Amino acid sequence: GDSVTQMEGPVTLSEEAFLTINCTYTATGYPSLFWYVQYPGEGLQLLLKATKADDKGSNKGFEATYRKETTSFHLEKGSVQVSDSAVYFCALSSNGAGNMLTFGGGTRLMVKP
Amino acid sequence: DAGITQSPRHKVTETGTPVTLRCHQTENHRYMYWYRQDPGHGLRLIHYSYGVKDTDKGEVSDGYSVSRSKTEDFLLTLESATSSQTSVYFCAISEGGTGGEKLFFGSGTQLSVL
């Protein structure tokens, strides 16, 4: 079945540092890939997505590229802020009925001033 | 923000009791989902619905049932709660169901089964 593996956290960075959170997936066919973010006490929000190979999703300075050859969708940001502290989830949906998401385990990011 | 309301926000119950969680949406979206969130597992799908009275099982459906009698409401019932069902439960909605669409999530229900 489908699965998503992402690096365990917590990831602790200083403000303005470069961020990478690794995500790899296993799926049949050509899934859509997502990064969701969860701020403390809240539900998940879509951060960015890519629906086909070589697409780059971007939002709020974050970006991720759909790499079919390495089955990866790593999240990057050039300069993190304290307000980026949250839990980040990589997810996929195999195209077909239902639009169900398969999530990775989540990576907690802590950014210190 | 998408109009999704989960109730209750917090609940403590005892082993063996039935529990019902409610998800209400004002978006008129066709698809609704229940996920549970546990440390190290991310979110896992319990059940989903693709229309009124149309539901199907997800990855971790044992011990749970759902009902959708109206477009706007999706109920999750723990028939006889167990300690392993202590978790944070999230409802989500989606306008489409073919894959690639954005899901909107509620704020979650923290359930503790003692």
Side-chain angles (χ1 to χ4, degrees), chain A residues 32 34-37 43-49 91-93 98-103, chain B residues 1-2 4 27 29 31-35 43-45 47-49 90-106:
Chain A
S32 295
F34 306 82
W35 278 100
Y36 279 81
V37 58
L44 280 70
Q45 304 172 26
L46 178 66
L47 181 59
L48 53 85
K49 73 175 189 180
L92 68 83
S93 71
N99 195 33
M100 293 165 283
L101 291 178
T102 299
F103 286 89
Chain B
D1 290 342
I4 308 172
E27 306 298 320
H29 283 355
Y31 289 83
M32 299 186 74
Y33 311 82
W34 277 107
Y35 285 87
L43 279 77
R44 292 178 291 175
L45 182 66
H47 281 279
Y48 71 101
S49 169
F90 286 99
C91 174
I93 63 175
S94 172
E95 186 172 16
T98 58
E101 288 90 355
K102 176 179 178 179
L103 262 64
F104 297 90
F105 285 83

Side-chain angles (χ1 to χ4, degrees), chain B residues 17-89:
Chain B
T17 59
V19 176
T20 295
L21 309 182
R22 180 179 184 240
C23 178
H24 178 79
Q25 61 147 329
T26 58
E27 306 298 320
N28 202 36
H29 283 355
R30 179 181 174 191
Y31 289 83
M32 299 186 74
Y33 311 82
W34 277 107
Y35 285 87
R36 59 177 289 173
Q37 181 180 23
D38 303 290
H41 291 278
L43 279 77
R44 292 178 291 175
L45 182 66
I46 304 171
H47 281 279
Y48 71 101
S49 169
Y50 46 97
V52 174
K53 297 192 187 324
D54 292 324
T55 65
D56 207 347
K57 296 179 180 180
E59 178 188 358
V60 291
S61 59
D62 286 350
Y64 301 93
S65 62
V66 290
S67 67
R68 192 165 177 203
S69 58
K70 298 184 290 185
T71 298
E72 58 265 36
D73 289 327
F74 192 33
L75 304 180
L76 176 71
T77 297
L78 287 66
E79 293 137 8
S80 177
T82 68
S83 59
S84 65
Q85 294 176 311
T86 292
S87 186
V88 181
Y89 291 84

Side-chain angles (χ1 to χ4, degrees), chain B residues 1-12:
Chain B
D1 290 342
I4 308 172
T5 305
Q6 291 186 231
S7 59
R9 291 297 311 276
H10 303 273
K11 186 168 181 67
V12 180

